[in-house]
Amino acid sequence: MNQKAIGIFDSGVGGLTVLRQIKRELPDESVVYFGDTARVPYGSKSAKTIERYCIENAIFLLEKNIKMLVVACNTASAYGINKLRRLFNIPVVGVIHPGAKAAVAVTKNKRIAVLATRATVASEVYPKAIHSIDPSIEVISQACPLLVPMIEERMGNHPAAALMIEEYLQRVKEKACDTILLGCTHYPLLHDEIKKALHPSVFIVDSATTCSKEVKEVLLELGLENRKGSSAETRYFVSDDPEKFRETGERFLNTPITEVLLEGIH
Amino acid sequence: MNQKAIGIFDSGVGGLTVLRQIKRELPDESVVYFGDTARVPYGSKSAKTIERYCIENAIFLLEKNIKMLVVACNTASAYGINKLRRLFNIPVVGVIHPGAKAAVAVTKNKRIAVLATRATVASEVYPKAIHSIDPSIEVISQACPLLVPMIEERMGNHPAAALMIEEYLQRVKEKACDTILLGCTHYPLLHDEIKKALHPSVFIVDSATTCSKEVKEVLLELGLENRKGSSAETRYFVSDDPEKFRETGERFLNTPITEVLLEGIH
């Protein structure tokens, strides 16, 4: 029983798909969200730089007095999570392992496709995480670098986005994967467009949903959950352009955001 | 007569289209290029953050002992150039005014379209610069936020890029602009694709080329040019991922880059 907040960070707005699921799973928990919008995107940066950004973001949230840290960004989870676990003495939950576990649980033909940013693909964290559970599974990794800008530009249902999705799914279809893992927290916003481009039997696992389930499990396991829900609040911080974050964020959350504060490390 | 280098910065690789033109116009000059790849892109960030990045980049280059500063980024020119001119005592050349001047010189029907990033469009620097020369010109500003990622992902000749260009040029065509100003240093790499989507009579002004002409004029005017060409060298610095910069940069320059050093401010 603990009334402190859950801290969540992402390079920008993408992690709000994780926040949305956490609020659904755990409506009584307070949440502090940090979007590192001054340095977004992480997906095209080097491992060392991403790791440094993760540490700085974690310190920012720790100073907001959190009980758990959620890395709601696949790229940051890929490069930063081990370091964060070594450095800080609160539980750290990322998006990689919960997603990998769920994908392994649903695949029947043992061919999983992972759609992600270039950096996440290059890190090979998803193949590693999947193989640590079942080494016989074939993992097809596909970098989809144009999907994030298309989502942020509200071009998700433009014919150009459909063409790009078709392009990115070509190899996935050739390999007849029966499970697609959305390995970027932006991609749930293209769920329907991706679904449309695939055979109806293909299962889509979304790492935002699986991460929020893991958050709940860990909270309960460690007895850190809050049972006095009346005081639950959600606070938003960004390192740049709070107004733009508010606008885009409301689209991600499908609910109004009243206040976004400009703070954090640059 | 001055053998110091010309300093050029951009948020990433885009400014290399300016560097390429400067090397053509001024083959005897040494150049130091800084690509702020740890914080790229600037186009989606706030005015205040962009201004701060400009100052830090300028200081980095000043410490490399330069005789002139070229802001080879439209977004940075839009938000940072006045501040840079006030702060530092070397000539500062941006990409906005040279481009605006050239576009005004070629338009016949006095309707100029400016294609640029969101931040450059929001800054209204191009309309202001054009109107300061001829207030009777109509300026149609079009933000093209997906073109930079498409260029960087080598998708410039993919059908999805053609669809996006079509989308972005729709209003430009409706307004029957006879001149298009490429207000982003990446866009010269889509010159042919943009040309194809327009009536053959439309004139395309590219701010990389016009900026390099301005650099030459200013150097000659101030007597800062180098006449001992034998020692001319080009050095590259980035704030993240030198190898990726080298690869993409060679495509931009159409010539090999031997060394890229990781330095600069984060």
Side-chain angles (χ1 to χ4, degrees), chain A residues 177-191:
Chain A
C177 302
D178 72 350
T179 303
I180 308 272
L181 177 48
L182 304 184
C184 170
T185 50
H186 275 75
Y187 298 173
L189 274 87
L190 283 181
H191 181 279

Side-chain angles (χ1 to χ4, degrees), chain A residues 37-41 44-46 49 52-53 118 145-146 149-150 153 155 158-160 163-164 167 240 244 266, chain B residues 37-38 40-41 44-46 49 52-53 118 145-146 149-150 153 155 158-160 163-164 167 240 244 266:
Chain A
T37 47
R39 306 190 291 199
V40 71
S44 52
K45 280 150 203 172
S46 70
T49 295
R52 183 164 55 81
Y53 290 176
R118 279 199 187 288
L146 288 173
M150 283 181 157
E153 292 301 329
M155 285 288 178
H158 190 276
L163 278 183
M164 287 314 307
E167 171 87 33
D240 193 25
K244 191 182 162 200
H266 298 285
Chain B
T37 48
V40 71
S44 52
K45 278 148 204 174
S46 71
T49 295
R52 182 165 55 79
Y53 290 175
R118 276 197 189 292
L146 288 173
M150 283 181 156
E153 290 303 329
M155 285 287 177
H158 189 278
L163 279 184
M164 287 314 307
E167 172 86 32
D240 194 26
K244 191 183 162 202
H266 299 286

